[in-house]
């Protein structure tokens, strides 16, 4: 087996996270970043080697919002090399559902529960405005 | 901006590549690997930094089969850490369509046009048997 390793884009996961109270839809959960780039973002983060994307997205949601979510489906994959100002990051986006009260995680990000009509599109970082637009228009 | 870079899984793209002659479905195109792991595989390969997944999968299809394909849709994302025996590779799989005659590419892989009834499931490398099974049963 070869020992050469390819240099591929960095890999992240993000969640379009819907919050429910029984059968009532309460809104979607966004986090406010305390590190650059500043702004609102979908819950998510980099994938570690050795973990599946499904585990990674549920772990990130838990860490950032305190919520135990369920994955509903794969929404899309975003790979424009300019979507992250730092380096090339490909994001795999899942639709997730959760119940309960979101709380800011250990990394002290603030969390926001937002009605679909109140999404702050102009304050979303990366291409998260496009991701949410694709979701809303699908 | 930070200069730290995360160490995430390697990223690949693969195509479930359908071949058409006008309105007639002719089969799917698989490549026979000349390098380990040996066996049949979906056309595909590693993604380079700076290229989108869509460009990457069409480039790999072209290189390995000579075909100019069109992407129909995203089929799925496969991220089991054990799916590739070499290291952790996450594959994003697209359904692609092409017309014409497949020919082995520069890297001298052989290409095979196979009816759906003749897919050599036992000879497929990585988790490509599962990917094709998911496709056929979707």
């Amino acid at each position: 087996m070869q020992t050469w390793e390819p240099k591929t884009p960095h890999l992240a996961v993000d969640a379009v996270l819907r919050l429910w109270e029984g059968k009532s839809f309460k809104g979607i959960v966004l986090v406010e970043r305390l590190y650059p780039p500043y702004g609102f973002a979908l819950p998510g983060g980099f994938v570690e080697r050795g973990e599946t994307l499904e585990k990674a997205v549920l772990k990130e949601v838990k860490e950032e919002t305190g919520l135990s979510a369920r994955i509903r489906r794969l929404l899309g994959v975003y790979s424009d090399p300019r979507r992250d100002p730092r380096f090339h990051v490909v994001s795999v986006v899942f639709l997730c559902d959760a119940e309960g009260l979101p709380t800011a995680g250990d990394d002290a990000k603030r969390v926001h529960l937002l009605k679909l009509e109140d999404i702050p599109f102009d304050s979303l970082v990366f291409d998260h405005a496009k991701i949410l637009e694709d979701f809303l228009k699908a």
Side-chain angles (χ1 to χ4, degrees), chain A:
Chain A
M1 290 289 160
Q2 72 208 81
T3 51
W4 165 83
E5 292 201 14
K7 225 174 166 176
T8 61
H10 300 293
L11 189 59
V13 283
D14 289 297
V16 172
L17 178 58
R18 298 187 296 198
L19 198 74
W20 299 84
E21 195 177 290
K23 289 180 182 174
S24 294
F25 175 61
K26 307 306 287 180
I28 65 158
V29 181
L30 296 179
V31 299
E32 199 177 337
R33 293 173 58 89
L34 288 186
Y35 303 101
Y38 297 109
F40 288 81
L42 301 171
F46 291 110
V47 180
E48 289 177 26
R49 291 188 185 175
E51 70 181 358
T52 65
L53 300 187
E54 291 81 4
K55 273 194 185 171
V57 74
L58 295 178
K59 185 187 72 178
E60 292 292 338
V61 165
K62 181 77 179 174
E63 284 178 5
E64 297 185 348
T65 72
L67 295 167
S68 297
R70 283 178 301 274
I71 294 174
R72 289 306 178 196
R73 66 174 183 271
L74 175 65
L75 283 180
V77 177
Y78 292 79
S79 64
D80 187 318
R82 297 155 303 182
R83 58 179 296 282
D84 188 311
R86 300 167 298 180
F87 31 68
H88 190 184
V89 180
V90 172
S91 178
V92 179
V93 182
F94 293 93
L95 177 62
C96 298
D97 286 333
E99 299 221 2
L101 194 68
T103 51
D106 284 345
D107 52 358
K109 281 172 186 165
R110 272 177 266 169
V111 291
H112 298 264
L113 176 62
L114 292 152
K115 294 176 190 170
L116 293 185
E117 298 76 13
D118 297 335
I119 294 171
F121 280 100
D122 291 342
S123 304
L124 284 161
V125 298
F126 310 126
D127 57 354
H128 290 189
K130 176 169 171 42
I131 293 172
L132 279 168
E133 200 184 321
D134 288 349
F135 167 68
L136 291 173
K137 292 186 173 170

